[in-house]
């Protein structure tokens, strides 16, 4: 013990001397013997604290406290230790300070206890967080353990509670914002929902309301108490708003209690008054506490609700009386009250001011301002809505009632109250206004609202009245009368009584209705009665009198209904129905149209619902042609909502406003809107013929021709079933239907339609012109489609139609233009020249003949009437159609001499006719033998120049000028093209013409640029692609040119001759370079040439080319006929010109004709024609430019003659011809093969030796010629020459591996090898055949021949090769290959399947293999 005391003394001495290391060591000595020694641990902790070893010091103090918890020394050490660590140990500091204060309190040392508390609170405020400071402040509250001990020494709770409340407010605000920020980023989170959830979570655990109540309880300051009462109510209200519905009941009661307490004390806190006023669920406004309303107005004079209340209580509908305040002072605005008669005389005039707005205008302005300021107030919406309903401002009432319902929904979410009565009031207000607003558009909605109310409140008077009014509008008068009678039992006023009487009148009980209405009028004669209602009753009395006696005398009586209408207007000058009735009176009985119109205008100005006045006005304006006013009237009627009845109503809608509006929009060319208008009219009146016609016309003008067709077809159906429609009244719909079909290109149906109309209206010029133009358009369409026979028929019909028009209107520009176009059509289909009605055209041109009609340009083009032909002429001149077209266009030019713009078009049309004459008379298109093409060209130049003088801004005119001046003056032509492009640089035609012009000038670079621009402007313009093809030919790329020509031909129409010529020529050149053997490739060029023959039958080059194509596709009759005509034509040409060029053409044509005779088995004619060709070409120069072509057709003639001689049995002549051909062809291998076959066929030993020698020599010089090798193989097999067969077999094996060998030669080589294998010894034969078959499969696995050979060797046991042979055969048929029907039939027969055998027979019934397979 003495050592312990000594060590403790030493430790204390060291502490006093500030030798803290020594103190710690001395204390440790004691602790070694007694680790729980209290003073040693305290000294040790204090020494460690001074050495800044805070953790060790805290441990030492805690060990000391375990042994002695109620001693202040260790707790003081801990407090000191925690103070040195600033904000690190504030919570531990608070615990130590509280324990230390307890010890001092037990020791009754108030001073030390207060010091500890004050230091702890100050330290927490300085170093701690807000929450730690709030916890520190808790020690100052009455709930603290030291509060009673230190009472008087600590701050009053009224000072502490506000501080804690402020800290909690800030903390909760920060926490709410933080949680919202974290949770709003979650997937699917909504900001509103997240905010509500966070606030609910925070508010439910918040102590703020308790703190506010403590402040209220402890404070002695009334202002502070009021402030925290407001805060308490606000926090309770906010908590109520976020609580779930089931949890709101208790909280709502608390909120209402707080608010009512404030209101009782008249505390001016808006939220409290809002809760008390807005949360009252009342049926009628009169149930509100009047004193509460006036107290609100007094406390909140600037509030929006105050302004509305101020206007409402002063209005005619207010259930509240305004009490005067003591001392004559008004409680609302502080003005003097008027207390007795003449009291106002005691005051100056400017001091006398009214308590509320005097006029209804001022009241409405004041209430409108208040509604804007209190838009979130349900009570404001309700009071404003009721007042607007009284003013009959129905559109505004609808908007206000809807806003009231929205606000009720929000209040319901906040408070949890049902607000059933308030919602019913809003629905009544909304439904009542919907009845009148745009009636009857919203009757369905209004009826549903009323029905919902009546289910719960069957005796609700406004709902009964509302349903009655709806039924009245829907013409359900009996039901309406019953409901209004029920409302009368509930105490409804005279207005409802008048409505019930009017329902009886509308149900044709005019006497009862009149009697009851007169009773209502007696009540309305009292002073202060509603003048508007009085005017309505007087009008209805007048209508009852009007309908009771419908005689003309009674209605004209000015003391009858007329007097009541006037009395109605005297009661209310703005009552619209009375003006309508007066208008009917003046219009139908007084015969005063001017007054009637004024009455109708006044009625319609006052009310858009006066549809009868509107209809009469619209008809008046339509008769005057004032379509703008018709549109205004119609649109206003539509906007009124009167035109469409509600769903389920028996009342019929009004279609005339939509129909009238559609007509106006048609006149304004607003076709999209007119379609909508007519559709709306037809929904209301589906059988309205005029609306169907208007709809069809709208569709037609807007380009929707299919829809227009259906509309006019429906019109005709209705007209057929309508007894009131006469046949002569149907012509317009037929005419419009024909117009639509014409736009659709259905010219046959269109022409039939026009003819039917002309049968009803023979002198209708517009229809006759339409028929003429339809025939012309049909002719040109058929030309473009290549249906030339129909084109000729349509053009002839057009000529006939023009004659019927000329007899009535010979001065019609369109008629002469159409006639010219019809005549011009025959120049594009010269094969149908005999269909041209020259006599009819002559009659038309001579009708009303004057020399001035055809004078223009006569001195240049020399075109006269006589050029068309005489009536007695047996044949029509070839130039007749184009000359007739020129004369018709000249006549059209004369007809438009007074119209500059039409003249420009007429000169333009005449220019094209002249240019067409130039084209037809040029050597490129010898339709007739005239050589005066230059005069037509000059005339066309004059025409286009004149057109440009009249209309210089037309790009088409400049393009035409450039085209016709290209061969005359290139500079002018280029300028014209450039000018045209300046006016319209999007024209593909002009760019293409410019490109062709540059081609003529040999400027390929500019030509390419221009043609490329033409392709870009319109990729479907064929001539631009033609130009590019010509450029490709110039650059030496015929394959590219062929592709371009083919594309141009595919996208072009059938009227273009040059497209067909270039395409067919290019296709023939490609066939010469490498023909695949598929004749399908030659069919399209052949069809093109046949079309060309119909358009230009005298074009012998194209005819010759067509014969060559026909020859290659296996048609042998056509080449004989065509080439025969070509030869005759060339012979006559040669006889007249003796041209060497024509002679060469004649010789070549003869050679081709001889080949055609040979193919058609006319051998003698073939020999004769071939010899003629050889004789004609015998003297040709071998060095001439056409020497190569001459050698080719002479070779053809020799071979043809030799083959024909062979077939006729003249072998010597055949051999002679072949030898000559061989000599002239310089050893051509094909010729060698033919000669060898003929020599072998002759049968002599010498001839056969010669054949062997020829073939051996040919193989020596042409080692890869398949024909020669094959013939050698056949001869070797016939001679059984094994050595030669072995050599030839090697050549055949090598031959069929060559990739450039065509399929036919490969097949021939394979069959020869198979035959050679059969000739081998029997021991080697099977292996050789199998080897040959497998080799064929390996070389051509996609061809069926190798597989078929392999299948025949495999027998019936192995079906795989036969199946592969069939699969490859199916994949090689056209268009995927060139396999013929016989090979396909053989493949089907090889599978040994009955179904395939049947297919084999179906494919090639002439072959035995299919039948044999079917039999087996």
């Amino acid at each position: 013990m003495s050592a312990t005391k000594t060590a403790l003394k030493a430790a204390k001495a060291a502490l006093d001397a500030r030798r803290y290391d020594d103190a710690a060591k001395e204390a440790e000595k004691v602790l070694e013997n007694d680790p729980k020694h209290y003073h040693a641990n305290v000294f040790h902790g204090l020494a460690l604290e001074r050495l800044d070893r805070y953790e060790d010091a805290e441990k030492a103090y805690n060990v000391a406290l375990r042994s002695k918890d109620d001693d202040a020394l260790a707790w003081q050490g801990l407090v000191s230790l925690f103070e040195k660590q600033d904000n690190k140990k504030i919570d531990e500091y608070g615990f130590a300070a509280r324990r230390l204060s307890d010890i001092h309190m037990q020791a009754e040392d108030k001073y030390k206890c207060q010091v500890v508390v004050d230091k702890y609170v100050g330290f927490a405020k300085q170093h701690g967080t807000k929450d730690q400071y709030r916890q520190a402040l808790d020690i100052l509250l009455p709930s603290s353990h030291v509060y009673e001990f230190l009472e008087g020494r600590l701050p009053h709770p009224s000072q502490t509670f506000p501080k804690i409340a402020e800290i909690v407010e800030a903390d909760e605000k920060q926490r709410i914002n933080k949680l919202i920020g974290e949770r709003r980023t979650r997937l699917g989170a909504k900001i509103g929902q997240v905010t509500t959830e966070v606030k609910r979570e925070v508010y439910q655990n918040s102590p703020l309301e308790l703190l506010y109540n403590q402040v209220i309880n402890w404070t002695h300051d009334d202002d502070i108490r009021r402030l925290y009462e407001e805060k308490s109510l606000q926090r309770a209200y906010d908590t109520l708003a976020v609580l779930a519905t089931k949890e709101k009941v208790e909280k709502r009661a608390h909120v209402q209690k707080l608010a009512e307490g404030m209101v009782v004390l008249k505390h001016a806190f808006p939220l409290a008054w809002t809760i008390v006023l807005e949360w009252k669920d009342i049926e009628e406004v009169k149930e509100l506490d009047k004193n509460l309303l006036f107290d609100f107005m007094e406390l909140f004079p600037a509030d929006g609700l105050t302004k509305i209340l101020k206007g409402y209580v002063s209005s005619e509908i207010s259930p509240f009386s305004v009490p005067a305040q003591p001392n004559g002072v008004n409680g609302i605005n502080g003005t003097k009250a008027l207390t007795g008669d003449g009291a106002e005389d005691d005051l100056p005039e400017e001091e006398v001011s009214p308590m509320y707005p005097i006029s209804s205008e001022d009241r409405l302005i004041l209430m409108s301002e208040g509604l804007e300021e209190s838009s979130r107030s349900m009570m404001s919406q309700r009071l404003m809505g009721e007042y607007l309903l009284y003013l009959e401002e129905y559109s505004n009432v609808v908007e206000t009632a809807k806003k009231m319902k929205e606000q009720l929904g929000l209040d319901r979410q906040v408070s949890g109250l049902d607000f059933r009565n308030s919602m019913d009031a809003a629905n009544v207000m909304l439904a009542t206004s919907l009845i009148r607003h745009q009636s009857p558009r919203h009757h369905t909605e209004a009826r549903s609202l009323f029905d919902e109310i009546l289910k719960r409140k069957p005796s609700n008077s406004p709902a009964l009245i509302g349903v009655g009014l709806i039924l009245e509008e829907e013409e359900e008068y009996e039901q309406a009368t019953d409901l209004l009678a029920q409302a009368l039992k509930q105490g409804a006023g005279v207005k409802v009584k008048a409505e019930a009487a009017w329902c009886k009148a509308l149900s044709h009980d005019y006497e009862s209705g009149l009697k009851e209405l007169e009773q209502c009028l007696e009540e309305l004669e009292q002073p202060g009665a509603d003048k508007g209602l009085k005017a309505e009753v007087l009008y209805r009395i007048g209508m009852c009198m009007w309908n009771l006696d419908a005689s003309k005398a009674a209605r004209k009586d000015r003391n009858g209904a007329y007097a009541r209408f006037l009395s109605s207007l005297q009661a209310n000058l703005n009552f619209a129905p009375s003006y309508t009735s007066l208008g009917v009176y003046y219009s139908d009985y007084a015969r005063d149209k001017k007054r009637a119109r004024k009455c109708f205008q006044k009625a319609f100005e006052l009310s858009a619902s006066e549809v009868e006045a509107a209809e009469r006005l619209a008809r008046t304006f339509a008769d005057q042609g004032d379509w703008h006013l018709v549109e205004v009237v119609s649109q206003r009627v539509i906007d009124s909502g009167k035109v469409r009845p509600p769903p389920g109503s028996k009342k019929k809608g009004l279609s005339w406003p939509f129909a009238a509006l559609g007509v106006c929009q048609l006149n304004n060319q607003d076709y999209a809107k007119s379609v909508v208008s007519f559709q709306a009219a037809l929904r209301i009146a589906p059988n309205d013929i005029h609306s169907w016609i208007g709809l069809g016309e709208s569709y037609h003008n807007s380009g929707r021709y299919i829809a227009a067709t259906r509309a006019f077809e429906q019109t005709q159906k209705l007209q057929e079933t309508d007894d009131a429609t006469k046949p002569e009244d149907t012509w317009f719909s037929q005419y419009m239907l024909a117009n639509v079909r014409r736009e659709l290109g259905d010219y046959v149906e269109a022409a039939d339609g026009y003819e039917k109309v002309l049968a009803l209206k023979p002198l209708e010029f517009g229809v006759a012109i339409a028929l003429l133009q339809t025939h012309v358009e049909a002719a040109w369409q058929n030309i473009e489609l290549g249906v030339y026979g129909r084109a000729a028929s349509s053009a002839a019909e057009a000529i006939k139609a023009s004659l019927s028009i000329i007899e009535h209107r010979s001065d019609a520009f369109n008629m002469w233009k159409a006639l010219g176009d019809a005549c011009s059509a025959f120049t594009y289909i010269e094969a149908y020249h005999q269909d041209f009605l020259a006599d009819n055209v002559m009659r038309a041109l001579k009708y009303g003949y004057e020399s001035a009609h055809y004078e223009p340009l006569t001195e240049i083009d020399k075109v006269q009437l006589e050029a068309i032909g005489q009536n007695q002429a047996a044949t029509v001149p070839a130039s007749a159609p184009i000359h007739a077209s020129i004369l018709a266009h000249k006549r059209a030019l004369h007809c438009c001499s007074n119209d500059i713009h039409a003249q420009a078009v007429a000169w333009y049309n005449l220019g094209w006719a002249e240019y067409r004459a130039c084209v037809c008379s040029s050597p490129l298109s010898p339709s007739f033998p005239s050589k005066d093409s230059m005069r037509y060209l000059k005339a066309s130049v004059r025409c286009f120049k004149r057109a440009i003088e009249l209309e210089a801004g037309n790009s088409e005119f400049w393009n035409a000028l450039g085209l016709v001046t290209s061969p005359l003056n290139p500079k002018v032509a280029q300028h014209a093209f450039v000018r045209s492009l300046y006016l319209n640089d999007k024209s593909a035609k002009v760019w293409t013409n410019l490109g062709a012009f540059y081609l003529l000038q040999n400027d390929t670079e500019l030509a390419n640029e221009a043609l490329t621009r033409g392709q870009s402007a319109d990729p479907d313009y064929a001539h631009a692609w033609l130009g590019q093809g010509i450029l490709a030919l110039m650059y030496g790329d015929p394959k590219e040119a062929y592709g371009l020509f083919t594309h141009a031909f595919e996208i072009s129409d059938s009227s273009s001759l040059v497209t067909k010529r270039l395409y067919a020529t290019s296709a023939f050149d490609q066939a010469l370079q490498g023909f695949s053997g598929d004749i399908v490739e030659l069919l399209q060029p052949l069809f093109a040439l046949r079309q060309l023959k119909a358009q230009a039958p005298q074009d012998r080059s194209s005819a010759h080319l067509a014969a060559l194509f026909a020859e290659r596709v296996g048609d042998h009759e056509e080449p004989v006929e065509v080439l025969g005509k070509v030869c005759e034509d060339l012979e006559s040409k040669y006889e007249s010109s003796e041209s060497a060029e024509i002679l060469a053409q004649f010789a070549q044509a003869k050679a081709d004709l001889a080949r055609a005779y040979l193919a058609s088995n006319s051998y003698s004619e073939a020999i004769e024609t071939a010899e003629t060709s050889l004789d004609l070409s015998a003297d040709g120069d071998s060095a001439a430019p056409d020497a190569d072509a001459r050698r080719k057709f002479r070779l053809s003639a020799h071979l043809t003659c030799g083959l024909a001689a062979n077939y006729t049995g003249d072998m010597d002549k055949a051999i002679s011809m072949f030898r000559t051909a061989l000599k002239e062809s310089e050893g051509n291998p094909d010729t060698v093969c033919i000669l060898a076959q003929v020599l072998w066929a002759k049968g002599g030993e010498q001839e056969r030796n010669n054949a062997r020698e020829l073939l051996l020599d040919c193989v020596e010089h042409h080692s890869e010629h398949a024909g020669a090798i094959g013939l050698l193989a056949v001869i070797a097999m016939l001679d059984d020459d094994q050595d030669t067969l072995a050599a030839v077999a090697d050549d055949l094996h090598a031959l069929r591996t060559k990739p450039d060998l065509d399929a036919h030669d490969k097949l021939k080589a394979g069959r020869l090898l198979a035959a050679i294998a059969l000739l081998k010894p029997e021991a080697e034969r099977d292996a050789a055949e199998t080897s040959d078959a497998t080799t064929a499969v390996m070389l051509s696995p996609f061809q069926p021949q190798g597989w078929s050979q392999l299948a025949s060797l495999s027998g019936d046991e192995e079906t795989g090769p036969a199946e592969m042979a069939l699969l490859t055969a199916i994949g090689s048929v056209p268009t995927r290959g060139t396999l013929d029907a016989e090979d396909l039939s053989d493949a089907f027969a090889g599978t040994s399947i009955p179904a395939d055998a049947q297919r084999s027979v179906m494919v090639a019934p002439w072959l035995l293999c299919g039948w044999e397979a079917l039999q087996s």
Side-chain angles (χ1 to χ4, degrees), residues 416-434:
L417 292 170
D418 186 49
F419 292 114
R420 186 68 268 168
N421 293 327
S422 299
M423 186 62 73
D424 287 345
N427 286 330
V428 167
M429 190 190 310
L430 175 61
T432 304
S433 58
L434 287 175

Side-chain angles (χ1 to χ4, degrees), residues 874-1125:
T875 59
V876 178
S879 61
I882 191 59
H883 284 169
S885 176
I886 291 173
L887 293 172
H889 285 300
K890 287 183 178 181
R891 188 73 175 266
L893 179 63
H894 176 77
C895 292
C896 61
S897 57
N898 297 324
D899 187 345
I900 294 178
H901 296 291
Q903 276 190 27
V905 175
W907 280 110
Y908 175 73
N909 294 335
L910 178 58
W912 278 120
E914 297 281 4
Y915 183 71
R916 182 61 187 167
C918 171
V919 171
C920 291
S921 61
S922 67
L924 293 177
S925 179
S927 299
F928 46 87
S930 173
K931 296 183 180 179
D932 297 330
S933 60
M934 190 58 66
R935 58 192 171 104
Y936 299 117
L937 189 62
K938 291 179 179 179
S940 66
V941 172
R942 290 280 296 276
C943 292
F944 291 135
K945 284 184 177 180
R946 181 60 179 155
I948 290 172
E949 290 174 3
L950 295 172
E951 189 178 343
N954 193 312
S955 64
E956 295 292 333
F957 295 175
W958 286 101
N959 173 56
L961 180 63
L963 191 64
V964 299
T965 55
S966 294
L968 300 175
N969 192 330
K971 291 184 179 180
V972 173
Q974 184 180 23
H975 170 73
F977 286 134
V978 172
R979 182 65 180 175
S980 177
L981 290 171
Y982 172 77
L983 296 171
N984 179 17
D985 63 347
K986 304 295 184 183
S987 175
K989 178 167 59 177
V990 181
W991 281 111
T992 303
N993 290 339
L994 181 62
F997 169 78
Y998 286 136
L999 279 176
L1000 293 174
Q1001 307 304 317
N1002 292 322
D1003 192 337
T1004 55
E1005 183 177 355
L1006 289 178
N1008 182 47
E1009 292 180 7
L1011 292 169
T1012 303
R1013 289 291 298 273
Q1015 290 173 306
S1016 301
D1018 184 5
D1020 291 332
Y1021 188 60
H1023 287 187
W1025 296 91
L1026 282 182
Q1028 291 287 11
I1030 295 172
L1031 274 175
L1033 285 177
M1034 296 176 68
Y1035 286 130
D1037 191 351
K1039 189 174 182 179
E1040 176 70 15
Y1042 172 64
L1044 293 167
F1045 291 146
T1046 302
H1047 181 67
F1049 174 73
E1050 289 172 349
I1051 64 175
S1052 69
D1053 57 60
S1054 295
S1055 63
S1056 175
L1057 277 69
V1058 64
T1059 306
K1060 300 184 186 71
R1061 287 194 181 106
L1062 290 174
Y1063 167 63
T1065 304
S1066 179
F1068 190 77
D1069 291 341
Q1070 288 297 310
L1072 290 179
Q1073 291 179 5
F1075 179 52
S1076 64
D1078 186 5
I1079 62 172
V1080 177
E1081 297 178 4
L1082 306 178
L1083 292 179
Q1084 194 170 8
L1086 180 59
F1087 292 153
L1089 290 170
R1090 286 179 177 173
Q1091 282 189 338
L1092 187 60
K1093 178 182 177 182
Q1095 292 182 273
Q1098 303 302 322
D1099 186 355
R1100 59 176 178 270
S1101 299
S1102 300
H1104 195 163
L1105 188 60
L1108 297 179
F1109 271 112
E1111 178 187 12
R1112 278 160 176 75
V1113 299
D1115 185 357
H1116 306 307
E1117 295 180 0
E1118 181 181 352
V1120 172
E1121 180 184 355
V1122 172
L1123 291 173
K1125 292 180 180 178

Side-chain angles (χ1 to χ4, degrees), residues 1277 1292 1296 1304-1318 1332 1336 1345 1349 1380 1382-1383 1386:
M1277 284 189 286
L1292 288 172
R1296 65 175 180 173
H1304 180 70
D1305 288 337
K1306 285 184 179 180
L1307 179 61
K1308 185 190 295 184
R1311 288 176 176 174
L1312 286 172
L1313 287 171
I1316 294 172
L1318 287 174
D1332 183 67
Q1345 288 79 16
Q1349 185 180 353
D1380 57 19
E1382 295 181 354
D1383 290 332
D1386 185 62

Side-chain angles (χ1 to χ4, degrees), residues 243-261:
L243 287 176
T245 305
K246 297 179 180 179
E247 302 173 355
K248 288 181 181 288
V249 178
E250 183 179 352
K251 197 67 179 179
R252 180 175 62 244
H254 176 63
V255 170
Q256 287 178 318
K257 181 179 179 182
L258 292 177
E260 289 170 357

